């Protein structure tokens, strides 16, 4: 398990072909679910099989909360004492700020303006040489954190960005209870730095000029009497949700599109067809891309995105068995055990994706989406723990990638794209990263360069795309 990580579950599935099996570890049992229909059964039993006690424990470990905050967070984690527990009310508290609607549109509009700003800076240079994933980390961090935190975004300080990198590097040590290792100690120090910056941010009420998301998170913690320094710790740790998946998925999008001339031509053709010429704020002719139209009129581009999500997902949904439970009237799950549902097992299920499930096929989702069992696509998890940030992340990744493709060419500095890049992820990370970064040259597309203005908008009718089984309306609805 330690060596092969999530791949281990695929190997066991291929060897045993069981719907569900038990891994016995000293003092505990893990049940690993392979069958899509059993995953649905697990998700329906959200009280008997609950994520929240696991989430409460993990959040205390990674945010290093005070005893006061830890006690609040670890109380009533599964509704055993009414439905007002801090952890169980969190999802509903932030959901409205990220669900399709006015709050999400507002955050998306700020984000789209920032995408344009960030790439305009690049346009002023003829050719820029950067390390691809490192550069995307900088761009996405700039865009995402400014959209979330507003004008007083603590990440405007490069030291806060660096502290976040150090913090995430040591998270595995913190979760494994090894805070005294060098990585663990550095992570704790970085958290101290980041949380001080966020404490000032909240104390000065800067969150009131930030997104509805940051306000909902703050208000929820205040309602549960979490001390201010702990709210700041939670916010710094929340960088994981905000950034750790959006960054690599954007990187893989650019890698697959630019490294394959067919994918690039397909995506560029579709995107070019949704560009309109408008008059910009100062009467200058401006090329405008309506990202809502990208979602409705660029099927190959969207398929490429979903194929990236399918290929690089490392997410493992977990549940604690709260009482002995007979799953689907067939399988006895013992109280205190853990249920795991690794997404790669589904994403590499030949029964769902066919024999070429290991191949990257950018048109895969244009061909067969209707026939695909939606439970087989679990990049964002599912059930009552489904990722609430999926629509924001999707709009950001699509907008950033579209803006890049329309304005820039990207070539590897070494002359040829590396194939079969090795991938890595810590056990808590939901998206794979490349094993090593590599240099690329970014230059404006000929004829599209400095002389043109670009703008990215969202129409009033922006509609989300289906990203999970839960997003697909049931028949007859
Ligand atoms: C491509 C980008 C993203 C991916 C692949 C992703 C994936 C996931 C996954 C796999 C889960 C666990 C779901 C489960 O166990 O059922 C999750 C949960 C979560 N995600 Fe995301 N996520 C992304 C972006 C975001 C963003 C941008 C935000 C915030 C704006 C966010 C906020 C959250 C939160 C708050 C949870 C915990 C849910 C809860 O406590 O109810 N995610 N995400």
């Amino acid at each position: 398990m330690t060596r092969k990580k999530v791949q281990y579950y695929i190997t066991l599935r291929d060897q045993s072909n069981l719907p569900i099996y038990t891994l016995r570890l000293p003092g505990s049992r893990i049940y690993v679910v392979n069958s899509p229909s059993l995953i649905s059964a697990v998700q329906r039993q959200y009280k008997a099989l609950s994520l929240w006690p696991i989430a409460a424990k993990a959040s205390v470990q990674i945010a290093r909360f005070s005893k006061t905050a830890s006690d609040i967070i670890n109380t009533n984690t599964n509704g055993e004492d009414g439905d007002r527990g801090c952890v169980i009310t969190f999802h509903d508290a932030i959901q409205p700020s990220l669900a399709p609607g006015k709050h999400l549109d507002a955050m998306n509009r700020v984000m789209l303006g920032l995408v344009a700003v960030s790439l305009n800076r690049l346009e002023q240079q003829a050719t820029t040489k950067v390390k691809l994933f490192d550069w995307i980390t900088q761009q996405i961090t700039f865009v995402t954190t400014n959209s979330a935190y507003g004008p007083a975004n603590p990440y405007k300080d490069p030291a806060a960005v660096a502290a976040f990198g150090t913090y995430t590097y040591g998270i595995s040590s913190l979760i494994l209870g090894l805070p005294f290792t060098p990585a663990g100690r550095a992570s704790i120090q970085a958290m101290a730095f980041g949380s001080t910056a966020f404490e000032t941010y909240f104390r000065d009420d800067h969150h009131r000029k930030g997104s509805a998301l940051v306000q909902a998170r703050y208000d929820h913690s205040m309602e549960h009497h979490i001390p201010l320094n702990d709210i700041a710790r939670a916010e710094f740790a929340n960088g994981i949700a905000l950034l750790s998946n959006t960054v690599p998925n954007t990187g893989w999008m650019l890698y697959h599109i630019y490294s394959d001339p067919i994918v690039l031509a397909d995506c560029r053709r579709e995107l070019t067809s949704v560009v309109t010429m408008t008059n910009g704020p100062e009467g200058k002719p401006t090329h405008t891309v309506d990202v809502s139209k990208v979602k409705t009129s660029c099927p190959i581009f969207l398929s490429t995105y979903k194929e990236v999500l399918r290929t690089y997902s490392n997410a493992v949904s977990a549940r604690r068995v709260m009482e002995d439970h007979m799953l689907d009237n067939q399988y006895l799950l013992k109280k205190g055990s853990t249920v795991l549902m690794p997404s790669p097992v589904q994403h590499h299920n030949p029964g769902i994706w066919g024999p070429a499930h290991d191949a990257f096929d950018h048109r895969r989702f244009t061909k067969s989406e209707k026939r695909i069992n939606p439970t087989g696509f679990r990049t964002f998890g599912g059930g009552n723990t489904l990722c609430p940030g999926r629509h924001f992340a999707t709009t950001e990744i699509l907008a950033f990638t579209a803006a890049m493709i329309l304005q820039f060419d990207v070539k590897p500095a070494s002359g040829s794209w590396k194939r079969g890049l090795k991938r890595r992820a810590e056990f808590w990370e939901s998206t794979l990263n490349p094993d090593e970064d590599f240099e690329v040259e970014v230059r404006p597309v000929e004829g599209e360069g400095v002389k043109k203005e670009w703008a990215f908008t969202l129409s009033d009718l922006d509609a989300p795309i289906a990203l999970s089984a839960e997003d697909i309306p049931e028949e007859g609805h």
Side-chain angles (χ1 to χ4, degrees), residues 6 313-317 341-348 376 378-379 430:
V6 175
S313 175
N314 191 57
V316 181
S317 298
M341 297 168 281
S343 65
V345 167
Q346 299 309 319
H347 294 187
H348 296 278
R378 291 190 52 81
T379 299
S430 293

Side-chain angles (χ1 to χ4, degrees), residues 132 254-260 410-412 414-421 438-440:
L132 183 64
L254 295 186
Y255 169 75
H256 280 284
I257 292 173
Y258 283 112
S259 67
D260 185 333
V410 176
K411 296 211 161 61
S414 68
S416 60
W417 290 98
K418 278 192 191 165
R419 300 283 157 196
L421 285 175
F438 49 92
E439 274 201 327
V440 292

Side-chain angles (χ1 to χ4, degrees), residues 43 51-52 90-91 94 98 107 144 213 217 238 241-243 245-246 249 305 309 315-319 378-390 392-394 396-397 430-431:
Q43 290 180 168
L51 169 70
W52 307 129
F90 172 72
H91 191 96
I94 64 160
L98 287 168
M107 188 156 76
T144 312
L213 170 66
R217 289 174 51 82
N238 181 50
L242 279 177
L243 300 167
N245 297 298
T246 306
N249 280 307
Y305 171 60
L309 295 179
V316 181
S317 298
R319 303 286 189 268
R378 291 190 52 81
T379 299
F380 296 101
N384 70 332
T385 63
L386 178 66
C387 171
R390 65 195 183 285
F392 176 70
T394 293
E396 181 172 11
I397 297 169
S430 293
T431 307

